Amino acid sequence: MDTNVLFIFILSVFVGFEVISKVPSMLHTPLMSGTNAIHGIILFGGILVLAGADSLLVQVLGFVAVVFGSANVFGGFMVTDRMLQMFRKKKSQ
Amino acid sequence: MSSPLALVFIGASVLFILGIKFLSSPKTARLGNLVAAGGMLVALLALHKPEGGSVWLSGWNTNFTLIIVGIIVGLGIGALGAYSVKMTAMPQMVALFNGLGGGAAALVGGLEFMHGTHGGLPAFIAGAMLFATLIGSLSFSGSAIAYLKLEGKFEKPFTFPGQNFVNGLILLAILTLCGWLTFNSTGSIAVAILAVVAVLALIFGVAMVMPIGGADMPVVISLLNSFTGLAVAADGFAINNLAMIVAGTLVGSSGTLLTLLMCKAMNRPVTNVLFGAFGSGSSAKGGG
């Protein structure tokens, strides 16, 4: 295995901890929603599996994975944006 | 990976980190979400197959059609969910999207493992795929239960005598089977056992969330969110995709910290939220 990948993994762990360490509690749910959208990157995995599919079973399940991942990533960013829109309105009142 | 492509993925990773960073401050939160979405779009357009060659320029065939249709269907489901949901029901929607992400992570891990059973897999790669299948399935069913609880279905903690023992037994079975599969990833027996692991993980996800009261669901969703992140990172290791490793790991670690911060905001230790219904017997209340 390429040890560089492990290096990147370990550094990402620390970055993830560090960047949100000062989040105020009113942003807990939007932050959860935003990071939820980011793991929608699993869509890439679905696309790559489906691109190399060589049987009906892999095509069907790969298709399901793409639909799930796509809903996760697009829906995730959209629902977060709606949440934060609501925030701004509340504050300006 | 060629260097221009590497630069694109470094750029996308920076956008993810900045996005999360901006999301954690009230003034920049909305921008942060857009920055992260921009990073995702850049990485998606630059997506290449493991053997090289852009996914988008590889020629039109059935699989490519399925990819495009799948993305559009998912986009439709996502938009419909995100814009039709009531303002008060946002956490439910996050739970649903998280569950779908977990399901996708499990399918990707499982299908890659299945593909690998033809010739056997290195233990590290097999382990990563199994981890993604197991955690992804658990997150899928757990999120479904969290969604139902927030919708007001069986809100109260569901406990029965010996629950800890039964859950422990399921977990032990899962880990044993995964341990065996890690080093024996060849043939149709491996595929059959993988299916058993996936089913057991689905059951474990339900068993894990059922004893927790409806009011604690945001914490549970946050935990499952970080689980899905780790499953995605594991899939990234399995198919050697750096963008997935970075994004998944960021979500996994920030999600873990966020879960702890949420518990802290409620003045309760995380163990109390997750296992509070156990041991307290009839005194356990719905919590809200």
Side-chain angles (χ1 to χ4, degrees):
Chain A
M1 188 201 50
D2 188 359
T3 47
N4 283 340
V5 181
L6 212 56
F7 196 70
I8 289 167
F9 168 73
I10 300 291
L11 288 179
S12 301
V13 170
F14 283 93
V15 171
F17 271 119
E18 212 49 51
V19 286
I20 68 142
S21 58
K22 290 188 189 92
V23 61
S25 58
M26 65 165 178
L27 280 176
H28 281 173
T29 310
L31 179 63
M32 172 171 84
S33 182
T35 53
N36 171 53
I38 292 176
H39 72 48
I41 200 168
I42 187 60
L43 170 63
F44 294 17
I47 291 173
L48 293 177
V49 166
L50 187 48
D54 48 8
S55 71
L56 185 65
L57 179 71
V58 181
Q59 276 180 332
V60 170
L61 294 179
F63 179 74
V64 174
V66 169
V67 171
F68 279 12
S70 171
N72 183 187
V73 69
F74 291 112
F77 282 122
M78 286 188 267
V79 86
T80 312
D81 192 59
R82 248 190 103 199
M83 237 182 247
L84 291 165
Q85 221 175 325
M86 173 174 75
F87 253 71
R88 178 163 295 178
K89 274 179 203 150
K90 250 187 200 167
K91 273 192 110 183
S92 61
Q93 271 164 12
Chain B
M1 197 178 349
S2 64
S3 9
L5 203 57
L7 285 176
V8 171
F9 284 116
I10 291 169
S13 303
V14 171
L15 289 177
F16 290 149
I17 295 168
L18 282 178
I20 299 176
K21 174 91 188 155
F22 287 168
L23 265 169
S24 64
S25 163
K27 275 184 194 157
T28 52
R30 201 168 171 205
L31 175 69
N33 186 49
L34 293 177
V35 168
M40 190 65 75
L41 193 65
V42 168
L44 181 63
L45 291 176
L47 184 60
H48 276 56
K49 291 178 183 174
E51 66 270 19
S54 166
V55 170
W56 311 114
L57 303 173
S58 57
W60 204 276
N61 57 26
T62 316
N63 288 341
F64 190 78
T65 312
L66 284 173
I67 289 172
I68 300 297
V69 173
I71 290 175
I72 293 171
V73 171
L75 175 66
I77 296 172
L80 198 72
Y83 288 106
S84 69
V85 66
K86 275 183 276 174
M87 290 293 182
T88 49
M90 295 282 187
Q92 281 93 310
M93 215 60 231
V94 179
L96 272 190
F97 289 143
N98 180 54
L100 293 180
L107 284 170
V108 170
L111 290 172
E112 287 289 333
F113 186 88
M114 250 178 67
H115 186 71
T117 53
H118 298 308
L121 291 157
F124 176 78
I125 299 294
M129 290 168 182
L130 291 165
F131 180 86
T133 310
L134 154 63
I135 301 293
S137 306
L138 184 162
S139 184
F140 178 75
S141 61
S143 298
I145 299 295
Y147 168 80
L148 290 172
K149 278 182 178 256
L150 281 171
E151 285 283 286
K153 313 262 165 30
F154 37 84
E155 253 178 285
K156 284 188 183 155
F158 172 84
T159 51
F160 59 85
Q163 195 165 12
N164 269 340
F165 180 73
V166 173
N167 288 2
L169 218 57
I170 299 174
L171 189 62
L172 188 70
I174 292 173
L175 293 179
T176 311
L177 292 175
C178 282
W180 188 82
L181 279 180
T182 303
F183 300 99
N184 300 278
S185 55
T186 332
S188 49
I189 303 165
V191 178
I193 295 176
L194 177 77
V196 174
V197 168
V199 170
L200 285 176
L202 286 171
I203 295 171
F204 189 75
V206 175
M208 197 181 113
V209 181
M210 279 307 274
I212 306 171
D216 288 333
M217 278 310 117
V219 177
V220 173
I221 297 168
S222 175
L223 184 73
L224 293 174
N225 182 41
S226 77
F227 277 11
T228 309
L230 292 177
V232 171
D235 275 331
F237 274 110
I239 61 180
N240 202 13
N241 185 303
L242 274 186
M244 280 168 68
I245 296 175
V246 172
T249 310
L250 283 173
V251 177
S253 63
S254 68
T256 305
L257 180 59
L258 182 62
T259 309
L260 297 174
L261 290 174
M262 280 170 130
C263 290
K264 208 173 152 196
M266 298 197 306
N267 254 325
R268 290 169 69 192
V270 66
T271 46
N272 181 278
V273 173
L274 294 180
F275 306 109
F278 294 120
S280 52
S282 56
S283 69
K285 292 228 169 73

